[in-house]
């Protein structure tokens, strides 16, 4: 019985003198495409949002989605935020990546017409064009 009490006492002394356990921040390199669409991620980084959530992040901006995907596939970046074609091509070429989707809840397109065209029905029998 004395041995059990002695062991308990020693364990209590050991844990009382040990520094408190602290969770390490997860380190992530975030690859971003050179586009205004990436602004929310940069704002979150600079406002300290990621740090408050326990993440140590390092955003890296790439000029092309191809270079960005090479960085993700090679393991230099853990997260890549880019347009759809690059990850689709990477998966098609055999890359083992996961692609969650949803950067925006709005479509970045606009329909421009003459004032007399107000509805889809008003387009019947007319020509339409797409700029790009």
């Amino acid at each position: 019985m004395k041995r059990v009490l002695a062991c308990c006492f020693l364990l209590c002394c050991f844990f009382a003198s040990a520094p408190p356990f602290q969770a390490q921040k997860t380190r992530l390199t975030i690859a971003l495409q050179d586009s205004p669409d990436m602004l929310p991620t940069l704002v979150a980084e600079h406002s300290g949002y990621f740090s408050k959530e326990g993440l140590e992040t390092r955003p890296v901006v790439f000029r092309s989605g191809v270079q960005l995907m090479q960085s993700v596939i090679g393991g230099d970046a853990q997260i890549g935020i880019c347009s759809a074609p690059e990850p689709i091509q990477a998966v098609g070429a055999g890359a083992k990546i996961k692609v969650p989707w949803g950067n925006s809840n709005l479509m970045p397109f606009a329909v421009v017409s003459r004032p007399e065209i107000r509805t889809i029905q008003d387009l019947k029998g007319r020509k339409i064009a797409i700029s790009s």
Side-chain angles (χ1 to χ4, degrees):
M1 182 68 171
K2 288 183 181 181
R3 280 189 172 165
V4 173
L5 289 174
C7 285
C8 288
F9 177 74
L10 289 174
L11 284 173
C12 288
C13 290
F14 173 76
F15 284 115
S17 64
F21 291 108
Q22 293 180 353
Q24 287 185 325
K25 287 188 176 185
T26 301
R27 293 182 182 180
L28 296 172
T29 298
I30 303 173
L32 302 169
Q33 196 166 350
D34 188 10
S35 165
D37 295 337
M38 304 305 132
L39 189 59
T41 305
L42 294 173
V43 168
E45 164 68 25
H46 291 292
S47 67
Y49 175 78
F50 294 136
S51 181
K52 290 175 190 171
E53 293 298 321
L55 300 171
E56 184 179 318
T57 57
R58 184 176 67 113
V60 178
V61 178
F62 288 85
R63 287 204 158 285
S64 79
V66 173
Q67 292 172 335
L68 182 148
M69 286 311 305
Q70 289 172 342
S71 176
V72 171
I73 292 167
D76 293 330
Q78 291 72 45
I79 297 174
I81 302 174
C82 62
S83 56
E86 291 81 10
I88 291 170
Q89 290 172 342
V91 169
K96 303 292 183 200
I97 59 173
K98 294 182 182 174
V99 185
W101 195 251
N103 190 26
S104 175
N105 63 350
L106 302 172
M107 295 300 289
F109 305 107
V111 177
V112 179
S113 71
R114 294 181 181 164
E116 64 268 14
I117 299 174
R118 296 257 186 222
T119 67
I120 297 293
Q121 289 80 18
D122 295 340
L123 290 173
K124 187 172 183 177
R126 298 183 181 233
K127 295 180 181 179
I128 62 171
I130 300 172
S131 65
S132 62

